[in-house]
């Protein structure tokens, strides 16, 4: 007797072998206990037959800015996790900045957990922050369960989370054996940007060379300390040979990219459309093609949202001034259909998308029970209709503010239902839990 059986003619399994097949997934408590053929005779308290609707593992988004407490008017745990669940994301790892206080010591972590308690619809873990002068506090934060430490090599945009120098990054990495995730733009290659509504002017202010130089700095820190480093939101494909060469020599470096870098084209961004502003910036279509090739080759390991919302006023749509607007794209609810729409046109399979957006992000942070449909894994499951289409209406999205560069886009893929640890997620119940680093 099991608690729940989900049957689908199209279950996405990552194997080996990986692929899509008819199967039934049996759940007891919060775990998957067995996978059988489609009509396996499980005796269950509840049974759901999805028919041709696809069954995926819950996605894992390791790059989300929730901003609570302190800047809750930008976003918050209730709205961010509600949007995540609606987009098939069952696990998020929250970034340490934009909240007040930033998560740079154990006390700040406790404040953030208290703010999140009773609000979360999905499972939530936390990154710690590495800033100048806090290297001595990192070991305590790591022991408290954060999944690693984020550092900026350029201005973060908020004064309470300053960037580190190359030597400060190496000092932090020597202080604790942890995963370091790095916003890799070199300040010496950035310009303040002039007041302008032209996207081309903003793009010129943050050239690809800024990423190349900062990635080289992060790789050098990993090489000299022996620590793991992960390059966040890789935009500039020209930096990929640096990463490939470092990996070939044994440096522990990985990289991610985001839906907007894979699917949006700088040449198509209208002047004044500051909803497209993010840092590093969206580049051209040829650059996106190179990112897709790196994903297929495994050089880029995962696709995450970098969900970074703000109030509409901070986007400065009144003036369209890219230099003054806040840089960030809110897409935790839309990542799956955005990536699937583009992936299917490029000949990629649903298993590819699940690998990039579920299993590999889970593996990055050591969550062996997330991001896969397998016996013993958490029963985080998503009913997904890959053929269904919809047009993005910002006012129907569940994150706090109706601002998105995807407004009006026709996308393939609709999430029909989400289960978190065996229980169907609803807007009425905050059934998420806190995750800590395993081991």
């Amino acid at each position: 007797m099991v608690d729940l059986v989900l049957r689908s003619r199209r279950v996405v399994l990552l194997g080996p072998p990986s692929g899509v097949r008819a199967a039934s997934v049996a759940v007891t408590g919060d775990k998957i206990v067995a996978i059988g053929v489609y009509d396996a005779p499980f005796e269950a308290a509840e049974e759901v037959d999805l028919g041709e609707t696809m069954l995926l593992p819950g996605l894992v988004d390791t790059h989300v800015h929730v901003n609570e407490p302190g800047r809750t008017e930008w976003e918050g745990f209730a709205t961010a996790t509600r949007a995540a669940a609606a987009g098939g994301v069952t696990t998020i790892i929250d970034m340490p900045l934009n909240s007040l206080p930033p998560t740079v010591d154990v006390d700040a972590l406790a404040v953030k957990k208290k703010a999140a308690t009773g609000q979360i619809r999905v499972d939530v873990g936390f990154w710690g922050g590495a800033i100048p002068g806090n290297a001595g506090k990192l070991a305590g934060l790591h022991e408290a369960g954060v999944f690693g430490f984020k550092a900026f090599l350029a201005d973060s945009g908020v004064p309470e989370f300053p960037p580190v120098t190359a030597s400060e990054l190496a000092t932090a990495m020597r202080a604790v054996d942890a995963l370091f995730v790095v916003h890799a733009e070199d300040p010496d290659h950035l310009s303040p940007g002039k007041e302008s509504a032209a996207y081309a002017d903003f793009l010129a202010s943050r050239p690809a060379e800024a990423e190349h130089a900062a990635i080289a700095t992060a790789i050098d820190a990993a090489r000299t300390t022996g620590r793991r480093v992960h390059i966040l939101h890789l935009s500039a494909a020209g930096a990929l040979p640096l990463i490939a060469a470092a990996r070939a020599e044994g440096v522990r470096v990985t990289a991610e990219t985001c839906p907007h870098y894979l699917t949006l084209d700088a040449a198509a961004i209208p002047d004044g459309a500051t909803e497209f502003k993010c840092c590093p910036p969206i580049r051209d279509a040829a650059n996106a093609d190179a990112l897709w090739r790196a994903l297929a080759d495994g050089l880029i390991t995962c696709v995450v949202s970098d969900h970074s919302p703000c109030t509409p006023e901070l986007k400065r749509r009144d003036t369209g001034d890219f230099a003054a607007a806040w840089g960030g794209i809110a897409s935790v609810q839309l990542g799956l259909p955005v990536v699937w729409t583009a992936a299917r046109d490029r000949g990629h399979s649903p298993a590819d998308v699940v690998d990039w957006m579920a299993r590999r992000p889970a593996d990055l942070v050591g969550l062996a029970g997330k991001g896969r449909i397998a016996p013993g894994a958490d029963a985080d499951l998503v009913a997904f209709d890959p053929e269904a289409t919809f047009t993005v209406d910002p006012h129907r999205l569940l994150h706090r503010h109706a601002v998105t560069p995807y407004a009006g886009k026709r996308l393939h893929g609709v999430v029909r239902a989400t289960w978190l640890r065996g229980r169907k997620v609803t807007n009425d119940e905050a059934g998420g839990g806190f995750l800590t680093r395993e081991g």
Side-chain angles (χ1 to χ4, degrees), residues 104-123:
V104 294
D105 56 38
V106 172
D107 290 343
L109 177 63
V111 170
K112 183 170 279 192
K113 283 188 172 182
K114 182 177 180 181
T117 298
Q119 296 200 72
I120 54 178
R121 270 68 178 174
V122 300
D123 285 348

Side-chain angles (χ1 to χ4, degrees), residues 373-389:
I373 297 177
D378 287 355
D380 300 342
L381 300 161
V382 176
F384 180 67
D385 187 340
E387 286 82 31
T389 62

Side-chain angles (χ1 to χ4, degrees), residues 92 141 314:
I92 66 169
L141 258 178
L314 287 173

Side-chain angles (χ1 to χ4, degrees), residues 341-369:
T341 299
R344 67 191 291 274
D345 289 343
R346 291 173 177 266
H348 293 292
S349 70
D352 292 332
V353 173
V354 166
D355 196 35
W356 301 329
M357 302 187 76
R359 184 181 70 83
R360 288 183 182 272
D363 290 349
L364 173 72
V365 295
L367 288 173

Side-chain angles (χ1 to χ4, degrees), residues 29 32 128 144 179 269 325 365 405 417:
I32 297 170
L179 172 62
I269 296 176
V365 295

Side-chain angles (χ1 to χ4, degrees), residues 217-371:
T217 296
I219 288 171
D220 187 60
R223 179 186 292 113
T224 58
T225 63
R227 303 302 194 211
R228 293 171 63 203
V229 68
H230 180 73
I231 306 303
L232 297 171
H233 46 48
L234 179 69
S235 164
L240 290 165
L242 293 172
I243 297 170
R247 289 176 64 171
E249 97 182 59
V251 178
R252 297 194 293 168
V253 57
T254 52
E256 69 187 32
T257 194
C258 303
H260 38 281
Y261 300 130
L262 293 168
T263 64
L264 300 178
D265 178 4
I269 296 176
D271 289 349
T274 52
E275 64 270 25
F276 288 85
K277 180 180 176 179
C278 56
C279 300
I282 295 159
R283 305 192 190 277
D284 61 29
N287 184 83
D289 290 340
L291 295 177
W292 278 103
R293 289 193 295 272
L295 262 180
D297 294 342
L299 185 55
I300 295 175
T301 55
C302 48
V303 181
V304 293
S305 70
D306 189 12
H307 179 78
S308 186
C310 67
T311 62
E313 293 76 17
L314 287 173
K315 275 296 185 183
R316 298 309 305 266
R317 287 305 306 273
D318 55 337
T319 64
D321 180 8
F322 277 97
W326 177 261
I329 288 175
S331 61
V332 71
Q333 185 173 342
L334 292 174
L336 176 57
V338 167
V339 173
W340 169 239
T341 299
R344 67 191 291 274
D345 289 343
R346 291 173 177 266
H348 293 292
S349 70
D352 292 332
V353 173
V354 166
D355 196 35
W356 301 329
M357 302 187 76
R359 184 181 70 83
R360 288 183 182 272
D363 290 349
L364 173 72
V365 295
L367 288 173
K370 298 289 190 182

Side-chain angles (χ1 to χ4, degrees), residues 65-68 71-84 119 307 309-312 330-333 394-403:
H65 295 265
V66 177
N67 302 340
E68 185 175 9
R71 291 189 174 94
T72 313
E73 72 275 13
W74 294 18
E75 186 65 284
F77 282 101
T79 49
T81 59
R82 191 178 290 126
Q119 296 200 72
H307 179 78
C310 67
T311 62
S331 61
V332 71
Q333 185 173 342
H395 296 281
R396 299 187 68 181
L397 299 175
L398 299 181
H399 60 256
R400 188 172 297 277
H401 298 293
V403 178

